[in-house]
Amino acid sequence: MKGNGVNTCVNAWLRSLISVILAFATIECIIRNIYFQKPSNDVGFHKNIAPNSTVVYRLEGCGVSYWNADGVRSRTNPPYRSNPILAIGDSFTEALQVDDNEVYTSILEKRLETKGNHSPILNLGFSGGALPHYIANADRYKSYFSPEWAIIQLRDPDLTTEAWGKDTPHFCKNSTNDVIECVSGMVANHPTSIVFRIFISASRLFSFPRYAYQRVKEFDLIFKKEAPLFKAGYVNTLSAEQSSDLSNYPIAQEIELVRKAYDGRLTILYIAPYDPKVPMSASPMETELSTICRRQGISFVTTRSLHARFIAKKISPFGFPNSNFNVGHCNHEGHQAIAELLSDELAKVIKK
Amino acid sequence: MIFSSPRFFLFLATLLLLMALLGSDRREFKKRLLGVASCLFYAAWDWRYLGLLLTISVVDYVAAAKISVASDRRIRRAWLLLSIVSNLSILGYFKYCNFFINNLNGVGHLFGWHITPLHILLPAGISFYTFKTMSYTIDVYRGGLKTCRSWLDYTTFITFFPELIAGPIVRGSVFLPQMDREIGPTQERMKIGLSIFLIGLTKKVLIADRLAGIADPIFNDPGIYSALSIWFGVFAYSIQIYCDFSGYSDMAIGTAKMIGYDLPENFRMPYISANITEFWRRWHITLSSWLRDYLYVPLGGNRLGTQRTYINLMLTMLLGGLWHGASWNFVLWGGLHGSALAVHKWVLSYRKSCRIPVIHPIIGVGATFLFVSLAWVPFRARSFGDTLLMFKTMMGLSNGNGATWIPEALFWCLPPVLIGHLVGVMIEKDVVKIVNIFRYCLNLCGLNINNDTISGYYVVWNRATTLGIYLLSLWIFVLFFFASTNTSPFIYFQF
């Protein structure tokens, strides 16, 4: 009798365990369809995504993207038929939120083809990128790709707050405190992170403890400012105080460094914030950047010039139906407009 | 310490563990422990107002005790008046003082005088606990309730943390008889309590918080959106406020069940109401019944003629609106509901003589939902100007220059609410075939429909089945991974 009781108890526990494991497997399947990217274990051109992999991202927008053998987002695989144009930027260029045929680099490539320029456009965007990263990586990009031209996509924080941090490549002032330098070098993954990434490649469930930890943090509002994992439409905007301190940042010197790093063969693409109430009024950063680029002879385009179109169409270049209106990353309309803007500019400057 | 935060889980787990460790023969000690825990819970919001809460409990406890022993009607009245005046004065000072100052300043502007508004921090849950204490003294005065034996018991009732901040508004007549119970967690209580809590948590973090991401930007800046987007925002808010508030009530009821008390039902599928009167029987039941019993009926109710009935209805709803917040927007919301209730009453009374046709229930449900949703506009809008702008845009009367945003989350948040309501209707109407099928499915998952006389219908965990554990685990994982991360405080905390 006692033996039967023990057996029943063991059976009940076993059944419960199997049920929980099955639930785990189900949630794994669901999550893989919502968010899946194979992480990179080496310091490649993309620090987060493994070469030859497909990323599924449906947390904000709905995008499936292919990253080629070089770990860059491109319609073509190496070897490239001619010197490529590099699109360098942060998550706005990386654009996991839209499909491969909707991202501005892909549209731009097609548009340039119709104008007789057959250079492949390689998307080197990565989430968290800022101007010092692009300068620090310039030599590596140039020696590997021998690019014909570079597009440097910037937003306000890329030149201010995110450019002067300490954990990643960043700007600093020299001993005389007058000339700035870029502290270069990619940050290698920590050994524990590499081990973790190997496990995570096998299944997202291995990230459960990390998810758990992060979720608890989010729920408790302890780390309010940290970008949460499932927070669609999250955007790291500058505070009013920080943006008013623009004069504290040596923007002209920062731009000079990037100009030198890419031998002057670059176009700066500024992603302007879009306010439907005052769509055409330029931000202080935008005005300053435009002036500096003109002075230094750098090709410069701003998405501000497209805002009239968005007003007319009653849409926003940012945000998705599954996130928020006018918040977060560029949607396909935004990418389409950026591609049109760049194709006109590149057609002019590359000819020169 | 909101119910969906890990700190609350830790707090609750510690309390339940301590109660379990105390065993079954230390009832009084467990009640004192609960009282202390409730005070700690309140102090976690703002310890400075704990004194205010305890003072109110002393005043009302003494007033009720004096009422019960006094034989002279005038003395009884005087003590009742003291209780009501002190409660309303506290509520008036903390909640409405600046509202009146600002309105006076509006008038004073014409004559060149100005009163500086006071720096007052609104104590959390003040509207709820003042109503609760007032109902106690009024019930004792009316002779419908015996006084509480000890102040400590009374304080445990007043400070009972699951419903302290945002209701349900529990009356002494419901709660105090339960004070003699043996409290503390048992396997049965935990199964029922956790099931109800989980339902509430799902409503809050999976639906309400997600819909807040749609409603908030639209209500915060309505000028940039098109009519279609504003309609979506309004419907999103309708569902959000229901899931948020009823989710909170469920969590409160579940928590109380785990401790060993039953709290009253606060929502009974309000959006299936076929008319506005029915809506108020299903929405925030504890408030609407409070307003009925302590305001509408004493005003005369429907006993003083037709016109007076309409006036009483309007007054009750205007004050009910003002109870929600010190703003003309809330008064407008109350006025809209008051008017609708009066019109419905008029239609009912004149239906026969004027041959007004009976509306099909489905049309009635649609029309009631539409009216209630529109009435949420002044309730949620930031200002009177925004309210007007939203109404104008929705009716196509504005310039129409806004952008169209079709929020996806609304379309997958609607089905669970709709299905929940439909199943609820089937159970309520006792549609045998469908209820039997539903019961059979629930049974396969180890679930059962629990019909509690105080707390209403709930689907609760009954026994462990393989399918049930699988679905429960999946449910918890889904909650964990897909809960909205914009963890916002419950809407009704501000009232």
Side-chain angles (χ1 to χ4, degrees), chain A residues 287-299:
Chain A
T287 313
E288 184 158 355
L289 205 53
S290 165
T291 312
I292 292 166
C293 287
R294 200 169 48 242
R295 209 182 294 147
Q296 295 188 12
I298 298 171
S299 153

Side-chain angles (χ1 to χ4, degrees), chain A residues 26 212 215 218 277 314 321 324, chain B residues 213 221 400 408 470 480 483 485:
Chain A
T26 313
R215 295 299 290 180
E218 286 167 11
K277 286 177 187 161
K314 296 181 182 178
N324 278 334
Chain B
D221 202 355
E408 206 174 79
Y470 167 75
F480 191 78
T485 49

